């Protein structure tokens, strides 16, 4: 009887060894490339209705009038310049709105860097008349700030607020006034991973 039991144990042990042998399987690996980030203007940057007067003399040391629209939509500064013979002024008459740029289509909870140009650009009268003075959009302010990170939500979306500073022209011939009408220009904002 002892011989039979030994054979049975040996057979059972050999079967257990065969059951724990190696197995190789092939599995898939995937990656989704999402290079596109959409940036759209949902609220245009608008300095609203303004009264603009350029001083007729040379710069009196204080510079031309400037007016700054904060990313909150409020104005800062006096809008007055210190010019030799006539005080230049930029006065808000209402209707100003900070710009809102919407980031969409990015990765959820991603962090993107906001970059804005610092190059001044002239706001040109809608008539395109080169004899008319220009208003210069000479500084852009964003929230998040230039070169700062914007952390996106679970949908990969987020907003950038835009404001800036405008300055009355510095080379206006005596007697040349600002024409009523719309003055437009451009600015650049970039977002990247």
């Amino acid at each position: 009887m002892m011989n039979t039991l030994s054979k049975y144990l040996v057979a059972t042990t050999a079967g257990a060894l065969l059951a724990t042998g190696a197995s190789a399987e092939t599995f898939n690996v995937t990656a989704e490339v999402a290079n596109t980030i959409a940036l759209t203007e949902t609220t245009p940057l608008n300095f609203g209705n303004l009264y603009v007067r350029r001083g007729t003399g040379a710069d009196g040391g204080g510079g031309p009038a400037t007016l700054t629209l904060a990313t909150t939509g409020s104005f800062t500064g006096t809008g007055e310049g210190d010019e030799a013979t006539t005080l230049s002024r930029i006065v808000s008459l209402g209707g100003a709105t900070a710009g809102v740029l919407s980031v969409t289509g990015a990765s959820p909870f991603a962090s993107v860097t906001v970059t804005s140009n610092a190059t001044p650009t002239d706001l040109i009268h809608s008539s395109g008349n080169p004899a008319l003075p220009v208003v210069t959009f000479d500084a852009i302010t964003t929230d998040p700030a230039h070169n700062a990170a914007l952390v996106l939500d679970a949908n990969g979306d987020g907003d950038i607020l835009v404001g800036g500073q405008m300055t009355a022209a510095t080379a206006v011939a005596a007697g040349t006034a600002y024409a009523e009408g719309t003055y437009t220009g451009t600015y650049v904002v970039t977002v990247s991973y």
Side-chain angles (χ1 to χ4, degrees):
M1 176 103 165
M2 184 69 111
N3 263 347
T4 306
L5 182 60
S6 295
K7 288 180 184 176
Y8 177 74
L9 288 175
V10 170
T12 303
T13 305
L17 289 176
L18 291 176
T20 61
S23 175
E25 295 292 331
T26 302
F27 298 96
N28 293 326
V29 59
T30 60
E32 183 178 341
V33 176
N35 291 333
T36 303
I37 303 173
L39 183 62
T40 56
E41 182 180 56
T42 53
T43 303
L45 175 60
N46 185 348
F47 278 84
N49 297 319
L50 303 170
Y51 167 79
V52 182
R53 181 181 72 204
R54 164 76 174 125
T56 57
D59 185 356
T66 61
L67 192 62
T68 301
L69 179 62
T71 57
T72 60
S74 61
F75 282 106
T76 60
T78 62
E80 295 185 354
D82 180 20
E83 297 176 84
T85 57
T86 306
L87 187 68
S88 65
R89 296 189 72 198
I90 302 175
V91 179
S92 171
L93 303 176
T97 55
V100 178
L101 306 177
S102 294
V103 177
T104 58
S107 296
F109 305 110
S111 179
V112 294
T113 301
V114 177
T115 308
S116 54
N117 70 331
T119 306
T121 184
D122 291 336
L123 305 183
I124 307 293
H125 188 269
S126 57
S127 69
N129 183 349
L132 292 176
V134 298
V135 176
T136 302
F137 181 63
D138 53 6
I140 185 172
T141 307
T142 58
D143 181 13
H146 173 67
N147 283 336
L150 170 65
V151 179
L152 305 174
D153 65 16
N155 297 316
D157 300 340
D159 288 334
I160 302 165
L161 304 177
V162 182
Q165 176 179 284
M166 57 187 306
T167 302
T170 57
V172 178
T176 303
Y178 282 92
E180 290 190 3
T182 302
Y183 289 74
T184 58
T186 60
Y187 65 92
V188 176
V189 172
T190 304
V191 291
S192 60
Y193 288 110

